[in-house]
Amino acid sequence: GFSSQTTARLQHVIDSFQNNPANPYVGGMTAAIKVDGLASWQGATGYAARNVDGNNNLLPGGTPFAPSTLSRMYSVTKTFTAALTLELAQEGNFSLDDAVIKYIPFLNAINPELNGNVTLRQLLAHESGYSSYSDELMLQIAVAFQPTHEWTPFEALSFVHQVNTPGAERKYSNTNYIVLGAIIEIATGKPLQQHFRERFFSPLTLNSMYFDAREQQPAGTLLASPHDNISAFN
């Protein structure tokens, strides 16, 4: 195994990143190293949740981050969605050259600005020309005034803009993948979380992984909470 000096150095590395005053990082993290079954180490630093006041301003301290703390994957979900899209296309559920409008015929009713001829291939490659819904100021305002509302992909699409001609430019946009998720559910009649579990989570024994929007958190686990103010609306 690793010596006590080595494990202390490893812990120092992640602590120094966490506590670097030149790059303040208010969250927490965990890291693990396994060397061919010969040695292993895991460590954690920072907070799973920060103490805040009534206006969501940070206060000192919080719940410590531990190696067992669950973290949101955020955009790593796109990796699973892309793999799922390719498998479903290979199985004949749809073609990568199908247009969005084929599966979301009411797109113009949601947002007439959006080009319905964008293909699944362009969504996968971030070449749709759709803006990222998460960057849209009006949606941020709407969320701030309705903080408990669960937004559907179609509601989010109503705030999106067509910023480029489809295929003209590759530009990262979260919108592409919520559209893919919606199309997968429409084309297969099966919830996205069921696809993920049957094709990835269960076969790969990813026992602590779950689709938070639709599935229950595993019993006895702690999920790290957001604890930074990332918009003017706090």
Side-chain angles (χ1 to χ4, degrees), residues 35-52:
V35 185
D36 296 332
L38 300 175
S40 63
W41 169 84
Q42 58 183 13
T45 190
Y47 299 99
R50 284 295 299 269
N51 295 331
V52 294

Side-chain angles (χ1 to χ4, degrees), residues 184-185 188-196 214:
I184 287 170
E185 293 194 328
T188 66
K190 182 184 289 189
L192 201 61
Q193 72 273 16
Q194 189 175 343
H195 283 294
F196 285 157
R214 306 276 186 82

Side-chain angles (χ1 to χ4, degrees), residues 19-148:
N19 301 318
N20 180 1
N23 182 29
Y25 185 76
V26 301
M29 63 178 174
T30 184
I33 299 174
K34 299 181 75 173
V35 185
D36 296 332
L38 300 175
S40 63
W41 169 84
Q42 58 183 13
T45 190
Y47 299 99
R50 284 295 299 269
N51 295 331
V52 294
D53 63 18
N55 292 318
N56 199 37
N57 295 305
L58 289 174
L59 298 174
T63 303
F65 208 100
S68 60
T69 301
L70 301 184
S71 300
R72 296 184 185 276
M73 294 195 332
Y74 295 104
S75 286
V76 180
T77 307
K78 292 183 175 70
T79 304
F80 287 84
T81 304
L84 175 59
T85 301
L86 294 176
E87 285 194 1
L88 292 172
Q90 189 175 44
E91 294 165 9
N93 290 276
F94 43 62
S95 167
L96 296 184
D97 295 313
D98 284 345
V100 170
I101 199 73
K102 178 177 179 179
Y103 301 97
I104 311 179
F106 47 91
L107 183 65
N108 287 339
I110 297 172
N111 189 336
E113 181 181 338
L114 299 183
N115 189 325
N117 293 316
V118 167
T119 66
L120 275 66
R121 191 184 304 275
Q122 289 169 329
L123 292 172
L124 282 167
H126 293 288
E127 294 177 349
S128 66
Y130 295 161
S131 68
S132 188
Y133 72 92
S134 51
D135 293 336
E136 291 292 345
L137 179 62
M138 295 310 295
L139 179 56
Q140 293 177 14
I141 292 173
V143 170
F145 280 92
Q146 301 180 74
T148 61

